[in-house]
Amino acid sequence: MTATDARTIPVDPVSADRLAAQGLTYRVIDTSSDADTEAFLRADARGFLDVDPSAESVQADREAIEVRRNIGVFEADAREGVWPVATVNSWTTPLTVPGGELEMWAISSVTVSGTHRRRGIARALLEGELRAASAAGTAIAGLTVSEATIYSRYGFASAVPVARVKVDTRKAGWVGPEQSGRVEYIDRETLRDDLIALHESERTARSGQIAGWDARWARMAGLHPAETAATAIRGVRYRDAEGTVQGAMAYKLTEIAGTFRSELAIRHVSALTPDALIALWRFALQHDLVDTVTADQRPVDDPITWLVADQRAVEFTVHDHGWLRILDVTAALQGRTYRAALDVVLQVGDPLGFAAGSWRLRVGADGATTVDAVGDADAPAQADVVELDVVALSALFAGGVSAARLRAAGRLRASADTAAALDDAFRTADAPVLGLWY
Ligand SMILES: CC(C)(COP(=O)(O)OP(=O)(O)OC[C@H]1O[C@@H](n2cnc3c(N)ncnc32)[C@H](O)[C@@H]1OP(=O)(O)O)[C@@H](O)C(=O)NCCC(=O)NCCS
C-alpha cells in the first residue's frame, strides 16, 4: 500500500467558497514559515484550553505537524504570523482492521476560536476534510474527540470503545500466574525508544489501532518541554526469559494528599505477549505505598479483572475513544476479513452522500468478499436486508460494536437472525483497541 501524502491534497473548494462568503480565507499552512507554524500551534493550544506553548514546545511540536496537512481559517486581511481563527489538520495512517490494514484519513486539531464559534466554521472544516479524504481515494476517516456529541452529525461513529480502569490495590489481591521473565526500570530515553518500537509491533495485533509518531512517545516518556511533571514520569519494561523486550509501561506517581500513600497512573502500557502485560499489571498493583492504580485506553477484554482476587476492587468503565467514518463502502468492506460467511444487502443512509446506497456484501465460506452496489429493483431476493445509516455501519466496521446491540437501540433494522449473522461475521476475537489520542 503506497501511502497518500495528505499534504498534496488541496483544500476543498466547497468549504473554501462557503468560508469566503463569510469573509474568511481557508488555506493550508506553509510549515516552512516559522511565523505561520507558531501561530497555528498557539491557536490550536488556545482552542483546547491548553497553556500558551513555550518556544521550546513549539519547536518540539514542529516536526510532528510538518508531516501533516495543517489548515487555518483566517480573517481575509490576515498577514503571515496572524493566528488563524480556526484550525484542523490531517494525515494518512494505517488503520488496523480485521485481517490487515486500511489507509485512514486521521483528523485532529479541530478548533474554532471563541470569537468565531457557532457560525458553521467547524462544519465547513469537517465536511472539507471528508471531501478531501474522499478525493484522495481514502476509504475511511477517523478521529478522537473531546466531546462525544459533535461528530456523528458528520457520519462518525464511536467504533472502538475502550476501558478506563481503576484498581483499589488494598482490596485487589493477586491471583495471576508467575512469569519467567523480569521487570526492570529504564530511563526516559529508553522508555521513549521502547514505546516507539513496541507500539509499532503491537498496533497490528488488534483492529482499531493506528501508527504513532515519535513526538507522542517522547511526551508519554516525559521528554517533551510541555510536560510539566516530566521528572515524575517513570518507566519499566518486561524482558522475557530470552531477554527480549516484550512490554513497557510509562507511569506517574502522585501522593494522595496527607496519606503518605500514592496513586500510580499508567500513562501508557504496550505489551506484545500476555506474560508481558500480566507482569506489568503486577508491578503496578503490587507497588509499595500505592493505594490506587489507574489506566485508560485499555481494550474492553483486558485481563485485569481476572488477575485479582477481588473483582470488586476493579472499576472498569467502558467509554468511546476511536471514532470512524466510512467514505467508500466498497473499499472499506473489502478491506477487512470476516469470521463467518455472510450475504446481506446493506441499505445505507448518508446525508453527506459518500456511503449512501444499497450494497450487497457477500462473504463466501472461503472468506472471498465482494461488495456490489445494487439498485432497488435488482436487490436479490435471497439476501437479508439491513437498513442502517453510515454511523451504524461505521460503528460495526472495526468489529468492536455489536449489530444485535445496535438493533436493540433501533439504530439498525434487520431480523434478529440477520443481526446475529452480522455479528458472527464482523466481530473480532480480540476486542479492538486504540491505545492513543490524536
Ligand atoms: C467544538 C467546536 C470546534 C465547534 O465549532 P463551531 O464552529 O462553533 O461549530 P459549528 O458552528 O460549525 O457547528 C457545527 C455543529 O456542531 C454543533 N456543535 C458545536 N459545538 C458543539 C459542542 N461543543 N457540542 C455539541 N455540538 C456542538 C453545532 O450545534 C452545529 O450543529 P448543526 O450543524 O447540526 O446545527 C468549537 O466549539 C471548539 O473549538 N471547541 C473547543 C475545542 C474542541 O473541543 N474541539 C473539538 C475537538 S475533538
Side-chain angles (χ1 to χ4, degrees):
M1 176 169 72
T2 319
T4 307
D5 184 345
R7 294 170 302 180
T8 63
I9 308 300
V11 293
D12 169 58
V14 177
S15 288
D17 285 350
R18 207 187 291 165
L19 290 166
Q22 292 193 40
L24 299 169
T25 304
Y26 169 69
R27 66 171 167 85
V28 175
I29 305 284
D30 175 3
T31 49
S32 67
S33 157
D34 289 347
D36 269 1
T37 304
E38 179 174 339
F40 179 91
L41 286 166
R42 294 178 72 188
D44 181 18
R46 183 178 62 186
F48 282 105
L49 316 188
D50 289 338
V51 296
D52 200 25
S54 64
E56 299 74 49
S57 192
V58 166
Q59 198 49 40
D61 283 335
R62 205 174 165 137
E63 202 178 306
I65 72 154
E66 274 171 1
V67 296
R68 298 184 181 182
R69 176 179 182 266
N70 306 287
I71 287 184
V73 176
F74 297 86
E75 290 291 358
D77 55 358
R79 295 181 319 279
E80 187 182 359
V82 168
W83 292 22
V85 299
T87 60
V88 64
N89 65 21
S90 47
W91 67 102
T92 61
T93 175
L95 166 72
T96 305
V97 297
E101 287 180 0
L102 263 184
E103 183 172 84
M104 186 190 91
W105 188 272
I107 300 170
S108 187
S109 292
V110 178
T111 73
V112 176
S113 92
T115 50
H116 288 68
R117 287 195 177 146
R118 308 300 179 265
R119 51 166 104 158
I121 297 179
R123 177 171 280 278
L125 294 181
L126 266 299
E127 290 187 9
E129 288 301 317
L130 295 179
R131 284 188 287 267
S134 177
T138 309
I140 193 161
L143 38 72
T144 53
V145 310
S146 56
E147 288 185 75
T149 51
I150 301 177
Y151 294 99
S152 58
R153 60 171 54 70
Y154 310 116
F156 286 89
S158 162
V160 186
V162 296
R164 180 180 303 121
V165 181
K166 183 173 180 186
V167 186
D168 179 344
T169 60
R170 293 160 304 178
K171 277 171 69 179
W174 181 262
V175 294
E178 292 296 324
Q179 278 66 58
S180 53
R182 64 192 164 80
V183 174
E184 63 188 19
Y185 285 104
I186 46 180
D187 60 39
R188 282 190 281 277
E189 285 74 15
T190 309
L191 176 62
R192 173 199 57 208
D193 295 346
D194 282 350
L195 291 178
I196 290 171
L198 287 163
H199 180 76
E200 193 49 26
S201 299
E202 186 188 33
R203 73 173 175 81
T204 56
R206 286 183 189 247
S207 174
Q209 292 272 34
I210 68 163
W213 56 98
D214 292 0
R216 181 189 191 276
W217 302 117
R219 184 151 197 163
M220 277 295 121
L223 294 171
H224 189 286
E227 199 56 62
T228 46
T231 50
I233 294 169
R234 299 193 183 278
V236 286
R237 68 183 177 188
Y238 174 79
R239 283 183 190 274
D240 66 16
E242 281 72 51
T244 306
V245 175
Q246 300 286 10
M249 181 165 85
Y251 65 95
K252 197 170 111 182
L253 289 160
T254 309
E255 194 192 344
I256 303 166
T259 65
F260 294 110
R261 301 188 62 86
S262 291
E263 171 178 322
L264 187 156
I266 297 174
R267 291 166 64 79
H268 188 84
V269 57
S270 266
L272 304 184
T273 62
D275 265 7
L277 182 61
I278 293 170
L280 293 168
W281 269 129
R282 183 178 197 165
F283 173 87
L285 266 59
Q286 298 192 333
H287 199 292
D288 283 336
L289 300 175
V290 162
D291 284 356
T292 309
V293 171
T294 60
D296 204 344
Q297 287 94 54
R298 298 304 307 151
V300 299
D301 58 0
D302 189 289
I304 183 64
T305 320
W306 293 91
L307 294 173
V308 296
D310 184 350
Q311 297 198 350
R312 295 183 185 183
V314 180
E315 282 176 36
F316 199 84
T317 309
V318 175
H319 64 92
D320 69 281
H321 183 51
W323 289 65
L324 296 176
R325 203 282 186 212
I326 289 179
L327 292 163
D328 180 334
V329 174
T330 305
L333 295 182
Q334 279 181 350
R336 57 157 290 177
T337 58
Y338 299 84
R339 281 161 55 83
L342 189 68
D343 187 359
V344 288
V345 172
L346 303 167
Q347 294 180 345
V348 184
D350 181 354
L352 295 180
F354 301 105
S358 288
W359 311 90
R360 185 174 184 185
L361 168 62
R362 272 177 288 189
V363 182
D366 60 354
T369 301
T370 56
V371 180
D372 300 296
V374 290
D376 291 342
D378 51 50
Q382 72 276 22
D384 297 321
V385 173
V386 183
E387 269 181 74
L388 73 180
D389 67 3
V390 66
V391 175
L393 182 64
S394 300
L396 287 177
F397 178 69
V401 175
S402 139
R405 196 170 184 191
L406 290 173
R407 179 176 179 271
R411 300 297 300 263
L412 168 160
R413 279 163 301 285
S415 69
D417 284 349
T418 302
L422 283 173
D423 279 335
D424 289 345
F426 274 76
R427 298 303 298 270
T428 51
D430 293 322
V433 73
L434 172 62
L436 50 83
W437 280 91
Y438 60 95

